[in-house]
Structures are given as C-alpha cells and as structure tokens.
Amino acid sequence: MKHKTFIIGFLLMLCLAGCQSGQLQVVSLKVEMQENPQGVSTPSPRFSWQITSPGVDLRQQSYRIQVASSEEDLKKEKNLLWDSGIASGDESILIPYEGGKLSSGKAYYWRVKVATNQGETAWSAINHWSTALLDSTDWRAKWIGQDTMSNPGETNKGNTRLAARYLRKPFHAEKKVERAVLYISGLGAYEAYLNGKRVSDDVLAPTVSWYPEKVYYNVYDVTPLIGKGDNLLGVKLGNGRYFGMRESPTMIFGLPRLLAQLNIEYADGSTDTIVSDESWRVTSKGPIVANNEFDGEEYDARLELPDWNTAKYDDTEWLQADIMEAPGGKLTAQPNPNITVQDEITPVHITRLSDGRFILDMGQNMVGWLNINLKGKQGQPVTMRFAETLNADSTLYTANLRSAKVTDVYIPAKDGAFRWEPSFVFHGFRFVEIAGLDEQPSLSDFTGKVIYDRMQTTGRFETSNELIDQLFKNAYWGIRSNYRGMPTDCPQRDERQGWLGDRVTGCFGEAFVFDNALLYAKWLQDIEDSQSPEGDISDVSPRYWTIYDKDVTWPAAYFYAAKMLWRQYGDMEPVKRHYASMKRFLEHIQQVSMQDYILTKDTYGDWCMPPESQELIHSQDPSRKTAGAILSTTMYYSLLNLMQEFAGITGNQADIAGYKELAAKIKDAYNQRFFNTDSALYDNNTVTANILSLRLGLVPEGYEEKVFENIVRKTEVDFDGHVSTGVLGIQHLMRGLTEYGRVDLAYKIATNETYPSWGYMINKGATTIWELWNGDTADPAMNSGNHVMLLGDLLIWYYEDLAGIKNAPGSIAYKQLLMEPVFPDGLSHVKASYHSVYGEIKSEWRKEDGSFSWDIVIPGNTSAVVKLPKSLNIAQPEGAGVRNVKETESGIEIELGSGTYRLVNRG
Ligand code: BGC
C-alpha cells in the first residue's frame, strides 16, 4: 500500500470496513415487494432480498431459493415445491417463482441463501406468503347488505347521507383450528371483527377501485381470533366511494355491500366455510348515523349496540341480510397494502373563542382524524369542524373546502368521560373547531391519527439550510397526506381525486421519500380500468370523475409512473401489463388530436403558473401563458420516446421504428412551427415552452445552450430569479437549470422567500405545499393548502443533484449509482439517505472553509461511480472497495464497490 499513513490535510479516502456491523447475511426478504404478504394472486410470485456484510465490495455470485408448503418440510428439505438450485448471477430483486403450480388459499414458506465474493451466507430466516382464492369457483359467498335507506334524512341525492350497516354471523368451531383465513371485501369500506376483535389494523379497506371493472378483496389470517365453541364474525360497512359523497359529479354506485368468506381448516384435516349469505343479520340502526368522506361522520352513542360483534349479542331485532347485486368488477386480491394509522401527533395549542367554542391547533397540516378523550353531557352533541387555516379573527377558515362540510359529531349517551374516533371518514386539517363542551379540554385529550397507505418511509434529508429542510418536511407531509389507495390531488375539499397531471414527475420525486411502488402499480391498473373503449385515458382515475379530453399532459402520468416503477424499483411488470393500453392511447390521440404532426388538444395549459396579479387563480396574460400545442406536442413526443424504451423491454421491438419515425416527424414539425432559430426561443418565450423543449429533446442540435440562455434570461430578468412555471414547466426546472450549469439559479429558486416561491408559502405558515403559488390571496374556489403538484422535480433535484444519489445511466433500481453531487454556494452540508431495493444508500457531505468531506454508504450487491470536480482537489484513493480511479478533464472519477467510505480533500 502506497499511502500507509494518512497525512493530515492530505487526501483521503478511508474505507471504513467494519462499520457495517453484523455478519454476511440475507435480510429484508420480500414476496411481490411485501414482507410475508397474504393473498398473492400471481402464479409466479417474485422474490427479493438484500445482502449485507461487514466488508466492502460485496457481490452476489449465485443464489438458491427453496419453497415448501410447510416450515418443517422446508427445514428438512422434503417435498420442496421449488428448489432453484444454485442459480448463478447477481440478481436479487424480483426473481420469479418457477416451481410447481401453487394452490388456491394456501400458505407457502421460503428461504434463500446466496454465495458471494466474501463467502456463502447461511440460509435466511424462513418467510412466508399465502395465495389468494385463485379460481372464481373458490368463492361461495354472496354479496349482502341492507337494500333500503330506512333512516330519516337518508338520501342518495345531492350531499348523500346514509348510516353505517352492521352485519353479523354466529358460527361454531368445535375442533382445534389449524388455520383460518378471511377473504373479505366491503364496499365502500368495511371494518371486520372476530369475537369483538378487529381482524387487522387496516382502515378504510379495501383500496379504492373503478368498481365496474375491478373490486379488491383482502386476505387475513385470523387463526388466533377463533375460539372453541361459539364465534361471531361481525362487519361494519361504511359508504366510502361506493355510495359516493355527492350525487354528481362524483359517482354513486349503490348501497354498501359485503362479501366475506372464512375458510377454516381444523387440526383433524376437516374444513368449514362461513360465507356471507341470507343467513346473516343486518341493521342500520347503530351509532354511526351518517358517514360521508366529504362531510364527516356522525356518531350517536345512545344508539350503541354493546357487544354486537360478539357471540353473546341478541340480534332478533335486526333484519335478515339482503342479497345484493355483485358490483360488476372482477373480484381481485388486493395487490397493495391498505391504509392504516401511520403516525400520531398531539396538538400544540388550544384557544377558547368568546362564544365558548375551542380551536385546536395540531401544529401541522395533516390528514386523518382526531381521537378525542373528553367529558360530555348526555344528548349534547360535541361537534368538530376541520380546516387547514384560520381567519384573522382566529375562527375556522372553511371557504376553500367548497361544499365539503368536514364535520364530525359525537352525541354522548350519558354524562361523563368518553373516548371516540370516526371509522369511515378522514379530513385534511391543521385546525379543529370544537363545540358542545362545557369544560376546557387539555391538549392531551386529543390525538391526531395520521392515515395513509401502509408503506415505509425511505428517505431522510437534511442540510445546512433551514428553508431547504422545512421544504422537505412540507413535501413529506404533503405526500403522505395524499396517498389514499391512489395518489390524490388534495385531501380536504369536495374533490380528493386521482388527478393524473399532478403526478407525472411527482411520482418519481415521491419515491425517494416513500416506498410507493405498490401504490403506483395499483394506480396504473385504475388508469387502465378507467380507459375508454376508444383508448382515451381519463384525467381522473379511478374515473369517479370521468374526463376523456383527448389531451396528453395529464394522461402522461400513466407512462411516467410506469417508467418510475421500473427505474426506481426494478419492477418491469407495470410496463408489460399496460403496454398494449398505452399503445392504444397513443394511437387514439394521434388520430383525434394530431394535425400536421402537432398535437392540438390541451385542457389545462401550464396549470397554476404564477399569475400577473396575486388575486387571480389563472393568468390572463398571453405573454405568460404557454400554448397548449407546445405542452401536448412536447409531452407526446416524450411519450413516443418512452414507448421505444418500453417496446424494447417488453419484446415489442417491431413497434420501435414506427414510434421513432413519428417522433422525428413531430420534432421537425414542432420546430418549424414554434422555434425561432434567430433568437433560439420557442413561441412566446415562456420558461415552460423553452425548458420542455430542451429537456424533452426537441431542440435542434447545436441550439441547446442558446435556448438555455433564454430560460436563464427570462427567469433572471423578467421574473427576478423567481419561478414562472406551472405544473408542467416545474417538472423540469430544477434539473434543467442544474444540468446546464446554473445550479446557483436553481438554488436561488429553491431558497427564495418572496412570491412566487415555496419559501413564500412557508413564510405564510404553510406546513404542506399549496395548490397555488398565491394560495394565500387567490379565490378560495381553488386554494387547497395540501397539493403536491407544484413540487415538480424539486425532490428529484434534492436527491440526484444536492445529495448525488442517482441511478447511473442504464442502471435499474440503483444497481449502479452515479454519485455526482453539486455544491451551490451557500450550502455547506447535505445529509441524505434513501432506502433502495438493495439497501440503504447514504450521502453526507460537508464543505466549509476549504475543507471537504463526504461520507457515503453503498448497499451490498451494488456499486457506484463517484465523480467530483477538480476544484475539490481529491487525491487518488486506493484500498479495499476501490475498483477503479480515473483522473478526467473535469475532476476525478472513482468506481466503488459496496461499503462505507469517506472522501476528504487535500486541504
Ligand atoms: C385539481 C388539480 C387537477 C386540476 C386539473 C384541480 O381541481 O385539484 O390538482 O390536476 O384540477 O384541472
């Protein structure tokens, strides 16, 4: 070793081998991207794992997977359903099962061991999964419910109103239960109990879908909940999206209905099946007298049905359950996790208003509900209204909620203490107005339950700049606020829909912070399920609002999210599954919206760009607005390029030439029509027109720098270094400015505090991201405080550029990283981590007073190319894990194997 001793102030790169504790092992075993999932329906489930070791440059050389139908068999290597044998290669993500045919409704066990350049691991821990009901004949249950609206005030017109249904079925289990599995769907939403205990902590299940095409059911292993003797299966049914919130434009599909089948296997080998049918009892006279996702839940404790979900309850007053029509869609095992309570927060402040009402401040705009532990008076309603902000006089600001009443009501059955939270609603709120209390409550009487789809938080991000950090927090809260079995636009007003345009690029940025793979994969299915017979994509999917506008910019999310799932998680399935439907969409649009190779139809423009007056929602000034044809043509062009990639990976090579040819013609026509070669600007020279053309590859060769200069001039001169784009342009702004050498301007935009900017929102008290740059002054008809679409590519820029955590070109799922951080003046420290499918990636750099250090962690079975500029004066490193070092024109390029490293400068 040349550099045996480290000289102070001189390079060094130090491989901290040994920092990663523990031994060589396989961890984080997953089937179809979940740990021990229940109800997997694919015939070839895919296995993934991670490998760790204390050493550096860990590479997998082969793997061996074994599968059996019991743990004992697996341990004894008897009756194996699959033994992959030693399969050489470094694949450790989404390896498909290739064993014997899997049976319906069974549990399977698996383990894996791998050989690496550092030796062989032991067998992993044994993990398991269960199969769904794979054949429609496995279902014997019928859809049931109460087919009448029998309570006063109930209506399916206007603002709908309906009480929850309670359903119950007693059964006997005389023998020892070996395994019991509940297969259940309840539309719009259900809560299931066995002998008074919830079967899971999932809420608002099942996941939403376009019911005429698809109905999801859940699978729960309920073995421990079944006792010997009398048992009771009870289910509460809420309205959810099935008995929709408004007669129009949100759809109403029908009255709530339940499908449930409990399959019991006894120790002696016999079986029993309890199914939903006309033998069940039902009532709608229980305490949940109304539940409407927009308007709130009303709970009358005087109508409680004590022990209704246990065997001892007498249900003679209840009705016989009605057989309901099946909802129509294909009954499908839910591939994505349900919503659960993912976090809890306590309020920070209570104010008493002069009329005796209280205003609770949660300190954070959040989504979920309030758990209350209060004292009440018999029959005196405690009313809670929820909102995102307050008026100047400290009262609740509800104007931006439009027609959503967002009000929960609890009526106590007796004087004294009670604890309550709703079952079938959620609210987007920071503030709660509480009426009907005689005593001042204290902060500890309240818990904010934060709900969204069960998923791991994958990213952390901190820097030396407080605003950059606060913005990350706002984004984090905004994203988790808008995952509801689909990515929604907003969680508070009478909308809450899966608007596609909000997520085109956003889904990628979000993936750094949350493991959103299964949510987005499921949403792509909603999009396909909502496609028109002609091939058009609904701008809202599932199409509770059906919008077939023959436009491009919103439907583009279908393609971009599929690409995100492939590049971020290595999941190629969504691209394969939806390729034909994507192709149909492109052909349809070509037919109906293309004239002379220009895409003519566009609905939304560069939605929510900052208008000339802060009172406006949308700009009226033609010089600020980007022409619809620019937006749809550039986006359509980018979709043709994506489709060429997709065709390549799905075995549709024959399509590539056609997409290429059409793309070339579009590029030509577009430039002829919109590009001014003398001034190198597009159309009316908006930043959006220029940046989309540049980043999506339409600028004629040789003009790129000039177009970029126009973007910079416009931003610096006309907008004083501020953002001038809406939802479309912002998707490329931060990366575009950085890629062409103006990271300083990107950084300025990220840290601006004056209007329009993210910092402006924060200065005005935002704890999430607003729908409008001027959300504080524009018309309340459209000023949600919790929309994520204006994040654009900000989070991608945080990770890829500020932290230098980026897929190398051609790399999938960070198998190879390209770590090339940028160092804007004014930023001296960045500390980021991202939990990729291979393991945790870390990057933490410090640059102050001439010294530089960078700590990085590269997960096992991956590698990184690290690039740093000459100006940092990094000397050539060597040692374990350093695969290659190159001095280049611009700096140093180092190839590293997995491990923990520190780079420092020469001083
Ligand atoms: C939604 C947006 C959506 C837009 C499209 C709004 O009402 O909240 O997020 O993309 O409409 O028109």
Side-chain angles (χ1 to χ4, degrees):
M1 218 198 191
K2 267 187 239 148
H3 305 281
K4 228 173 167 196
T5 33
F6 296 117
I7 304 162
I8 299 189
F10 195 51
L11 134 73
L12 264 217
M13 164 151 213
L14 178 62
C15 284
L16 298 174
C19 287
Q20 282 183 343
S21 60
Q23 78 265 35
L24 172 66
Q25 59 180 334
V26 188
V27 295
S28 189
L29 276 73
K30 293 192 174 164
V31 175
E32 287 299 317
M33 304 171 115
Q34 294 189 69
E35 264 171 47
N36 302 326
Q38 299 282 334
V40 174
S41 59
T42 151
S44 289
R46 296 166 303 165
F47 304 100
S48 308
W49 57 87
Q50 297 173 0
I51 50 175
T52 62
S53 83
V56 290
D57 202 10
L58 176 63
R59 309 176 199 207
Q60 180 184 297
Q61 291 166 337
S62 66
Y63 65 85
R64 184 171 181 190
I65 302 172
Q66 290 183 335
V67 177
S69 45
S70 77
E71 263 188 274
E72 296 68 53
D73 279 357
L74 193 56
K75 277 185 203 144
K76 291 188 193 142
E77 303 196 45
K78 254 181 41 195
N79 305 323
L80 293 182
L81 283 156
W82 188 40
D83 185 340
S84 69
I86 296 177
S88 49
D90 61 355
E91 286 105 25
S92 55
I93 299 300
L94 299 168
I95 313 289
Y97 171 79
E98 284 173 4
K101 191 165 184 281
L102 301 172
S103 308
S104 187
K106 290 278 173 264
Y108 292 97
Y109 299 82
W110 73 288
R111 61 182 183 175
V112 60
K113 96 202 269 190
V114 308
T116 74
N117 57 342
Q118 295 171 15
E120 210 176 273
T121 67
W123 279 110
S124 68
I126 293 178
N127 275 35
H128 57 88
W129 83 95
S130 73
T131 45
L133 294 180
L134 301 178
D135 196 308
S136 55
T137 58
D138 296 329
W139 276 104
R140 290 172 37 208
K142 298 175 184 169
W143 285 94
I144 60 170
Q146 181 181 331
D147 211 0
T148 47
M149 289 187 278
S150 58
N151 296 307
E154 294 193 329
T155 177
N156 58 5
K157 304 276 172 252
N159 292 25
T160 64
R161 185 180 170 91
L162 191 74
R165 274 80 175 109
Y166 295 75
L167 297 109
R168 65 192 301 278
K169 168 75 184 176
F171 63 95
H172 288 276
E174 285 311 332
K175 296 177 273 185
K176 184 172 177 315
V177 175
E178 182 77 16
R179 181 167 179 255
V181 181
L182 178 64
Y183 302 87
I184 181 166
S185 184
L187 303 181
Y190 71 87
E191 244 177 47
Y193 300 81
L194 261 162
N195 300 316
K197 294 216 174 76
R198 290 277 291 274
V199 304
S200 92
D201 54 10
D202 292 349
V203 300
L204 300 165
T207 203
V208 291
S209 62
W210 179 243
Y211 305 113
E213 280 295 322
K214 194 86 68 267
V215 173
Y216 289 111
Y217 67 89
N218 301 129
V219 180
Y220 298 108
D221 187 324
V222 293
T223 316
L225 297 180
I226 302 199
K228 204 163 178 223
D230 288 338
N231 285 274
L232 192 284
L233 176 56
V235 180
K236 246 158 71 176
L237 269 187
N239 304 336
R241 294 279 165 120
Y242 196 73
F243 185 80
M245 306 80 86
R246 293 287 181 272
E247 181 189 7
S248 162
T250 313
M251 298 250 179
I252 297 174
F253 299 91
L255 290 165
R257 57 206 64 199
L258 167 73
L259 184 78
Q261 179 162 325
L262 176 60
N263 286 0
I264 306 176
E265 295 165 29
Y266 295 107
D268 66 2
S270 61
T271 60
D272 218 345
T273 308
I274 313 300
V275 296
S276 51
D277 60 15
E278 50 278 76
S279 71
W280 285 52
R281 309 286 290 172
V282 65
T283 186
S284 59
K285 307 279 178 214
I288 301 180
V289 296
N291 65 100
N292 180 311
E293 191 186 308
F294 291 161
D295 297 331
E297 187 161 308
E298 291 173 34
Y299 188 95
D300 189 339
R302 295 168 301 184
L303 302 177
E304 272 172 359
L305 310 161
D307 297 325
W308 70 274
N309 50 15
T310 68
K312 62 183 174 206
Y313 184 79
D314 177 2
D315 61 15
T316 39
E317 302 226 318
W318 290 28
L319 307 169
Q320 181 184 343
D322 293 317
I323 300 297
M324 311 286 279
E325 210 179 300
K330 188 167 187 288
L331 198 54
T332 305
Q334 188 175 312
N336 53 309
N338 273 315
I339 299 169
T340 58
V341 174
Q342 293 278 89
D343 201 357
E344 295 189 356
I345 62 172
T346 39
V348 293
H349 197 71
I350 303 183
T351 323
R352 189 179 191 281
L353 299 178
S354 53
D355 60 6
R357 286 174 298 166
F358 296 96
I359 298 284
L360 197 64
D361 179 359
M362 303 306 293
Q364 170 66 49
N365 203 15
M366 59 161 277
V367 173
W369 54 72
L370 195 64
N371 179 292
I372 53 175
N373 184 16
L374 296 167
K375 286 204 191 86
K377 262 218 184 107
Q378 184 182 26
Q380 176 176 302
V382 175
T383 304
M384 288 155 276
R385 290 204 301 154
F386 299 81
E388 297 186 304
T389 45
L390 296 180
N391 295 310
D393 64 355
S394 296
T395 56
L396 220 55
Y397 174 84
T398 55
N400 71 338
L401 304 174
R402 307 203 296 223
S403 77
K405 294 188 189 136
V406 205
T407 304
D408 287 348
V409 180
Y410 178 91
I411 306 178
K414 52 181 175 19
D415 292 353
F418 66 89
R419 185 181 269 285
W420 180 76
E421 64 183 40
S423 298
F424 294 123
V425 294
F426 63 86
H427 316 296
F429 66 102
R430 172 173 167 177
F431 298 96
V432 193
E433 176 207 85
I434 306 170
L437 295 181
D438 293 340
E439 273 178 41
Q440 165 100 25
S442 62
L443 293 174
S444 59
D445 296 336
F446 304 97
T447 310
K449 302 265 178 108
V450 177
I451 63 145
Y452 56 99
D453 302 48
R454 183 183 305 137
M455 63 176 68
Q456 196 192 343
T457 299
T458 48
R460 313 261 166 218
F461 201 93
E462 266 163 64
T463 68
S464 51
N465 183 299
E466 272 179 36
L467 182 56
I468 293 272
D469 294 3
Q470 184 59 48
L471 190 44
F472 183 80
K473 280 192 200 124
N474 286 36
Y476 165 81
W477 276 95
I479 297 163
R480 68 206 304 233
S481 294
N482 279 297
Y483 283 166
R484 209 81 38 221
M486 57 179 164
T488 58
D489 60 337
C490 60
Q492 73 297 77
R493 68 182 178 215
D494 57 357
E495 187 155 6
R496 311 180 189 195
Q497 302 292 349
W499 279 99
L500 270 66
D502 302 27
R503 292 319 212 285
V504 179
T505 296
C507 63
F508 176 22
E510 292 164 14
F512 283 107
V513 189
F514 292 101
D515 179 356
N516 60 13
L518 294 167
L519 172 82
Y520 273 97
K522 180 264 170 184
W523 192 44
L524 293 189
Q525 190 58 49
D526 292 333
I527 296 174
E528 177 159 351
D529 287 348
S530 300
Q531 189 167 22
S532 79
E534 298 74 37
D536 206 355
I537 301 281
S538 173
D539 294 339
V540 167
S541 297
R543 58 183 181 93
Y544 303 131
W545 292 4
T546 301
I547 305 176
Y548 296 132
D549 265 2
K550 304 176 176 54
D551 52 3
V552 182
T553 56
W554 260 236
Y558 191 27
F559 300 73
Y560 276 77
K563 176 171 178 175
M564 181 281 279
L565 293 169
W566 172 39
R567 290 297 301 273
Q568 196 79 2
Y569 298 100
D571 188 3
M572 217 188 269
E573 257 324 287
V575 173
K576 286 192 189 153
R577 195 176 309 136
H578 302 293
Y579 183 84
S581 132
M582 291 174 175
K583 186 174 169 182
R584 246 173 354 110
F585 170 75
L586 289 181
E587 286 169 0
H588 174 66
I589 291 300
Q590 188 184 345
Q591 274 169 21
V592 296
S593 307
M594 195 171 91
Q595 261 171 32
D596 302 329
Y597 299 105
I598 298 294
L599 279 296
T600 54
K601 296 220 166 60
D602 177 65
T603 310
Y604 310 106
D606 190 18
W607 189 249
C608 298
M609 54 98 55
E612 52 283 12
S613 138
Q614 274 184 248
E615 277 66 49
L616 286 174
I617 293 179
H618 297 299
S619 172
Q620 312 291 334
D621 173 0
S623 75
R624 288 174 171 250
K625 295 195 334 193
T626 305
I630 295 226
L631 304 172
S632 47
T633 306
T634 52
M635 287 299 266
Y636 192 83
Y637 177 80
S638 83
L639 299 187
L640 291 171
N641 288 335
L642 273 185
M643 277 305 262
Q644 291 172 50
E645 276 186 68
F646 292 175
I649 60 171
T650 54
N652 288 293
Q653 275 76 6
D655 293 346
I656 296 178
Y659 290 131
K660 212 176 178 163
E661 203 182 309
L662 181 58
K665 287 184 176 149
I666 288 178
K667 181 171 175 175
D668 260 9
Y670 175 77
N671 282 317
Q672 274 188 28
R673 167 95 176 263
F674 295 114
F675 190 52
N676 181 330
T677 35
D678 295 337
S679 50
L681 52 83
Y682 280 89
D683 201 36
N684 59 347
N685 194 28
T686 61
V687 167
T688 293
N690 290 327
I691 199 128
L692 288 181
S693 308
L694 184 63
R695 288 267 310 161
L696 298 177
L698 288 108
V699 175
E701 224 184 306
Y703 284 94
E704 293 89 345
E705 292 294 340
K706 285 195 175 137
V707 171
F708 184 68
E709 278 164 26
N710 279 319
I711 293 169
V712 170
R713 196 170 315 120
K714 188 89 180 172
T715 304
E716 289 187 323
V717 178
D718 294 9
F719 291 94
D720 189 26
H722 285 73
V723 64
S724 62
T725 61
V727 172
L728 271 294
I730 199 75
Q731 295 176 25
H732 293 277
L733 189 64
M734 304 303 282
R735 287 175 297 172
L737 290 172
T738 305
E739 184 186 346
Y740 285 87
R742 289 301 306 270
V743 64
D744 61 317
L745 186 52
Y747 186 67
K748 177 172 185 336
I749 287 174
T751 52
N752 273 335
E753 296 190 44
T754 46
Y755 176 81
S757 65
W758 296 293
Y760 175 78
M761 300 180 191
I762 290 171
N763 276 349
K764 294 283 174 181
T767 55
T768 41
I769 307 292
W770 292 347
E771 176 174 26
L772 300 174
W773 295 110
N774 50 336
D776 56 334
T777 48
D779 190 301
M782 215 184 97
N783 67 349
S784 136
N786 207 349
H787 253 68
V788 289
M789 62 190 183
L790 284 185
L791 283 170
D793 67 351
L794 182 77
L795 291 175
I796 306 171
W797 180 75
Y798 270 29
Y799 274 89
E800 292 195 340
D801 291 315
L802 292 185
I805 296 178
K806 185 174 179 174
N807 251 321
S811 158
I812 299 299
Y814 304 88
K815 184 84 172 90
Q816 192 181 31
L817 283 153
L818 171 60
M819 305 189 81
E820 190 180 10
V822 293
F823 305 102
D825 278 351
L827 196 63
S828 59
H829 177 218
V830 169
K831 181 179 180 187
S833 63
Y834 166 60
H835 204 106
S836 77
V837 291
Y838 289 98
E840 185 143 68
I841 302 164
K842 288 187 183 170
S843 162
E844 176 173 9
W845 58 258
R846 260 177 218 285
K847 187 171 172 280
E848 42 202 3
D849 304 331
S851 80
F852 173 78
S853 69
W854 190 17
D855 293 295
I856 50 187
V857 177
I858 303 163
N861 209 21
T862 72
S863 62
V865 171
V866 164
K867 290 188 187 175
L868 287 170
K870 228 179 208 131
S871 57
L872 283 177
N873 201 16
I874 303 287
Q876 288 223 2
E878 43 184 64
V882 180
R883 292 185 187 172
N884 196 15
V885 182
K886 249 194 327 206
E887 297 271 3
T888 63
E889 283 267 294
S890 55
I892 193 165
E893 203 175 301
I894 309 159
E895 199 188 327
L896 297 170
S898 69
T900 300
Y901 303 89
R902 160 166 276 218
L903 279 82
V904 293
N905 67 345
R906 288 175 200 262

